[in-house]
């Protein structure tokens, strides 16, 4: 029996199991998934919990639910990978050997990385919304908050879903308008980037939306510490921003398991070939989803596009064929902008997001980089798409793994 | 476009970053630094050499990586190249503007 081992049963790991089980003969290949969690969270839903748009129940399912039949699931913390001996050590002392390893351990916020962040005020007036607990604690805070300075802050890049903090301020604007207290809330967006987003055309459109909604932006802010006694964040250039309520996206890091395995970059991301998804650590180790160091967004949609190409490459690797160098960094994200509208962006390693129509040139029905109600419907439908198509490894109709230039207004 | 730096015709982009690293020399670095209000010292050059070395190896740079490199602490990096240290030091080093992560 040959063994394919997948580390992490989140979006990417579960998806890979669904892709590969029907393609690999049951008699020859055993597939095993390992994850320490009992719950599979629909993380994009964390954005909606603070504003009482989603209930916590809407974002979770038992972790085994989307795992296909014929795949073993081991619920245990991974301690480390011994790449030289093709062996994975679990925290309970068990070992697992493999012929092929797929690393899909994602990324998590690590507030401990910033001095003063996870102190007495954590979940009192300093919150994150990138975790299940954080999004619920923030919801409870917002329900009774009387207003003041709300600061949305990003510690350092890269973070998963880099547009979620922008969506947060847009939704906050609409939330406080609906509560009839927008005049009591001062919203500021603080980012280490030079503008609202990482790419110029989208930054222009998003900067405009921030201005329209009366949201201030502080850019090029690299946090050094949180001065929680005086309710301010201070950056390396000794500038500071005051808050009454700080919502932050802590440093996002790969699993400490990667560090214990002796590879990974300074943020514990796995060095990965950006076109084939084979790790540069060893031939029989592949990586997918947020765990990689690829220069594209860390998002479920990206994991989906990677999944199609990685599946093909695993099969080629097994057959001793050359790997397909086809991954182009394709990302496709809805950006919720409040008041029942959203934007859509579609881009890759080289093509930045631009205006146009999607997926059908000239027809749409979705609009790129422009607010519309239909885009919002798309965002809300994503939860269904996630559980029923994305995790199952089913192709999304009309949207291919490689980005299409058709319908995009290219300069 | 071309710009005269340290008496040489140098290819730069519209933000003033060199587009051809092979054209770089120390005098060019010094002059770009002066535009940014920085007088170069050995401490500055040590950082510049590290950046250029990483660039030759195709390693993408980040402030965190530089802080962990042992070459300079982040606090000192800001003291040496105030405001946007990575952007300014990359310009002086003659390497492309660091692409902020996506
Ligand atoms: C607030 C928010 C909003 C988002 N919005 C969107 C959106 O609108 N669209 C979109 O496409 N994406 C969005 N995302 C991003 C998306 O959720 C992630 O990109 C996606 O889940 C990545 O999948 P993954 O499998 O790489 O990681 P994950 O799904 O995080 O899975 C990693 C798994 O590995 C396990 N694991 C890690 N280390 C260990 C260990 N040592 N031992 C055992 N198990 C371990 C974890 O328990 C986890 O289950 C959002 C994310 C957040 C936080």
């Amino acid at each position: 029996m040959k063994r394919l081992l997948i580390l992490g049963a989140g979006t990417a790991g579960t998806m890979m199991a669904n892709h590969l089980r029907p393609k690999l003969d049951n008699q020859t290949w055993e597939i095993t998934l390992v994850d320490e969690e009992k719950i599979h969270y629909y993380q994009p839903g964390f954005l909606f919990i603070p504003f009482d748009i989603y209930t916590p129940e809407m974002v979770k399912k038992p972790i085994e639910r989307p795992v296909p039949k014929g795949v073993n699931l081991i619920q245990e913390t991974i301690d480390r990978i011994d790449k030289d001996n093709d062996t994975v050590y679990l925290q309970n002392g068990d070992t697992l050997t493999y012929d092929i390893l797929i690393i899909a351990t994602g990324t998590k916020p690590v507030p401990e990385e910033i001095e003063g962040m996870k102190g007495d005020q954590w979940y009192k007036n300093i919150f994150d919304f990138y975790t299940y607990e954080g999004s619920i604690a923030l919801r409870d805070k917002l329900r009774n908050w009387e207003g003041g300075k709300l600061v949305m802050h990003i510690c350092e890049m890269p973070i998963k879903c880099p547009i979620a903090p922008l969506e947060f301020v847009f939704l906050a604007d609409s939330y406080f308008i609906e509560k009839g207290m927008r005049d009591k809330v001062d919203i500021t967006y603080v980012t280490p980037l030079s503008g609202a987003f990482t790419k110029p055309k989208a930054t222009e459109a998003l900067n405009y939306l921030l201005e329209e909604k009366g949201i201030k932006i502080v850019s090029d802010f690299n946090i050094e510490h949180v001065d929680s006694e005086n309710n301010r964040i201070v950056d390396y250039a000794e500038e500071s921003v005051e808050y009454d309520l700080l919502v932050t996206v802590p440093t996002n890091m790969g699993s400490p398991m990667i560090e214990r395995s002796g590879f990974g970059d300074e943020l514990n991301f796995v060095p990965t070939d950006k076109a084939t998804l084979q790790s540069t650590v060893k031939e029989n180790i592949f990586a997918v989803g947020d765990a990689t160091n690829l220069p594209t967004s860390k998002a479920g949609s990206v994991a989906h596009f990677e999944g199609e190409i990685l599946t093909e490459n695993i099969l080629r690797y097994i057959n001793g064929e050359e790997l397909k160098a086809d991954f182009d960094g394709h990302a496709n994200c809805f950006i919720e902008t409040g008041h029942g509208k959203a934007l859509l962006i579609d881009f890759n390693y080289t093509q930045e997001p631009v205006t146009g129509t999607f997926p059908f040139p000239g027809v749409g029905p979705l609009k790129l980089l422009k607010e519309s109600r239909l885009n919002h419907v798309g965002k809300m439908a994503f939860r269904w798409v996630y559980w029923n198509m994305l995790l199952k490894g089913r192709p999304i109709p009309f949207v291919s793994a490689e980005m299409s230039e058709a319908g995009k207004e290219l300069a | 476009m071309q710009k005269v730096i340290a008496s040489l015709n140098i290819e730069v982009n519209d933000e003033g970053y060199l587009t051809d690293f092979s054209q770089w020399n120390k005098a060019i670095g010094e002059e770009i630094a002066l535009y940014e209000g920085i007088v170069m010292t050995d401490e500055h050059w040590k950082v510049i050499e590290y950046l250029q070395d990483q660039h030759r190896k195709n390693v993408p740079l980040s402030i965190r990586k530089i802080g962990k490199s042992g070459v300079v602490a982040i606090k000192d990096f800001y003291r040496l190249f105030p405001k946007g240290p990575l952007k300014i030091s990359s310009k002086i080093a003659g390497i492309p503007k660091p692409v902020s992560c996506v």
Side-chain angles (χ1 to χ4, degrees), chain A residues 225-234 238 240-243:
Chain A
H225 73 281
V226 180
D227 174 4
S228 61
E229 244 167 63
N230 299 302
N231 290 341
R232 54 184 201 130
I233 46 177
V234 182
E238 273 154 33
S240 64
V241 174
E242 287 180 13
Y243 60 82

Side-chain angles (χ1 to χ4, degrees), chain A residues 7-13 34-37 39-40 43-47 63 76-79 104-108 129-130 160-161 163-164 167 255 257 260 288-291 298-303 332-334 379 382 386:
Chain A
L7 304 182
T11 313
V34 189
D35 203 299
E36 60 193 354
E37 291 278 346
I39 307 270
H40 185 130
Q43 298 175 39
F46 295 168
L47 170 68
I63 198 158
E76 182 56 45
T77 299
I78 303 147
D79 181 46
T105 39
T107 174
K108 270 192 188 154
F129 71 94
Y130 268 47
K160 54 182 152 185
C161 199
I163 43 152
E167 299 182 279
S255 172
M257 171 281 285
R260 291 193 293 266
V288 62
D290 295 353
K298 295 192 183 300
S301 67
V302 175
N332 176 287
C333 308
F334 289 103
K379 175 96 183 181
F382 190 59
Y386 181 87

Side-chain angles (χ1 to χ4, degrees), chain A residues 291-310:
Chain A
T292 74
N293 73 340
L294 300 193
T296 186
S297 286
K298 295 192 183 300
S301 67
V302 175
H304 166 77
F305 298 130
E306 289 171 350
E308 293 185 12
I309 288 162
L310 181 56

